[in-house]
Amino acid sequence: MQLQRKTFILEGLENINVDFIEKFIEGLGFKPLRWAVVEVKENKFTVEAVVVN
C-alpha cells in the first residue's frame, strides 16, 4: 500500500456532495482515505486528499 497526497480541482459543478467527490477520486484510480475541500473560487472546488495508489 502506497499513500500519496493529491490535489484535485473540480470545475463547473452546482450540486456537489460527499459521494460525488469520493466517486470522482475513485474514478481516477485512487482510493480516498481522507480528503477536504480547501478552497472554493468562482465555482472551482480545490480538494486535497490522501489516497491509496
Side-chain angles (χ1 to χ4, degrees):
M1 173 171 54
Q2 183 179 22
L3 298 178
Q4 294 182 336
R5 183 176 174 190
K6 296 281 188 181
T7 301
F8 304 99
I9 298 177
L10 293 81
E11 298 184 49
L13 304 171
E14 290 182 18
N15 296 323
I16 191 167
N17 58 37
V18 171
D19 291 329
F20 180 86
I21 293 172
E22 290 182 356
K23 287 181 182 178
F24 176 83
I25 295 171
E26 289 171 352
L28 295 174
F30 301 104
K31 180 180 178 184
L33 293 179
R34 287 186 172 259
W35 58 267
V37 176
V38 295
E39 184 177 35
V40 178
K41 279 190 179 177
E42 298 176 8
N43 216 16
K44 289 184 183 178
F45 293 83
T46 302
V47 177
E48 290 192 7
V50 174
V51 298
V52 177
N53 188 8

